[in-house]
Amino acid sequence: MWKKLIGCMTAFLVVVVVQAEEKSDLELKLVAKSPTVTVDLGGKTSEEYTKELQKDLDAAKKGDPVVLPAPLKVELELQVVNTSKKDVTIGVMGDVNQVNFTVKGPSVLTGSPLLAFTTDFRLPQEKTLKPGESYTMKIGSLVDGFRGASRMIYLTEAGKYTLSATFQLAEGEGKGPLLKSNTVELLVKTK
């Protein structure tokens, strides 16, 4: 019975999200509006803060009730640019499209908080980009994954970090192109 129900649901959820003939029709640009960010260590040393945060992330992974610190505030933009000479239609703001970050630097911790999500399937909204046009997503904190909330990224030590992103598109019932961004540098200061 479940297979029939899932099959029926799938038939109704067929969405064409990208109508680009080639992956090269779209470019993903990551822009750091403010390349310097400050991490509040709460009066602890970087080592103490990292050790305590890792302990909390491990507990959260096991399902223990812990309150994780808010993810780092950033001022970033992710731009999907139509580099072709024709109109390209993409889907935005739906469950099928996910942004994921790759961060490298002195001390990067990640964790997946136990969050409740509704079971509804959020369809993307179609956006047609004319040649040279872009669609911009503002990124206010280092959180990514499902609905932009399933993975928190923490930078726990001062220094230079590199950040890049991917944006998963969909075509029909399956995955479409995976767009990869350029790499930007973030300078992290601690207080």
Side-chain angles (χ1 to χ4, degrees), residues 8-152:
C8 289
M9 288 173 57
T10 302
F12 289 111
L13 295 176
V14 174
V15 178
V16 176
V17 178
V18 177
Q19 295 172 347
E21 288 182 18
E22 300 175 15
K23 282 172 58 168
S24 61
D25 287 348
L26 299 171
E27 179 184 2
L28 188 63
K29 290 184 181 178
L30 182 60
V31 178
K33 301 301 267 183
S34 178
T36 302
V37 294
T38 302
V39 177
D40 185 355
L41 301 178
K44 299 177 178 83
T45 66
S46 289
E47 187 177 287
E48 293 168 336
Y49 182 79
T50 301
K51 187 176 181 178
E52 186 176 307
L53 179 57
Q54 185 63 61
K55 181 180 173 185
D56 288 345
L57 291 170
D58 291 343
K61 190 174 183 178
K62 293 178 191 173
D64 295 342
V66 294
V67 177
L68 295 174
L72 182 62
K73 298 288 183 200
V74 293
E75 290 182 50
L76 303 170
E77 287 183 353
L78 204 51
Q79 302 168 353
V80 179
V81 182
N82 178 1
T83 59
S84 74
K85 295 182 182 191
K86 58 191 173 302
D87 290 359
V88 175
T89 301
I90 62 172
V92 296
M93 300 174 12
D95 284 348
V96 293
N97 306 96
Q98 289 189 27
V99 173
N100 288 299
F101 295 109
T102 300
V103 185
K104 296 179 182 176
S107 180
V108 180
L109 298 178
T110 61
S112 298
L114 296 176
L115 300 174
F117 291 101
T118 59
T119 58
D120 63 321
F121 183 76
R122 297 179 184 177
L123 295 173
Q125 298 173 14
E126 286 190 353
K127 172 76 176 162
T128 300
L129 302 175
K130 296 193 179 305
E133 272 189 338
S134 63
Y135 174 78
T136 300
M137 296 171 270
K138 294 194 181 295
I139 309 293
S141 59
L142 283 183
V143 181
D144 65 8
F146 182 72
R147 294 190 184 165
S150 65
R151 185 177 74 133
M152 295 180 174

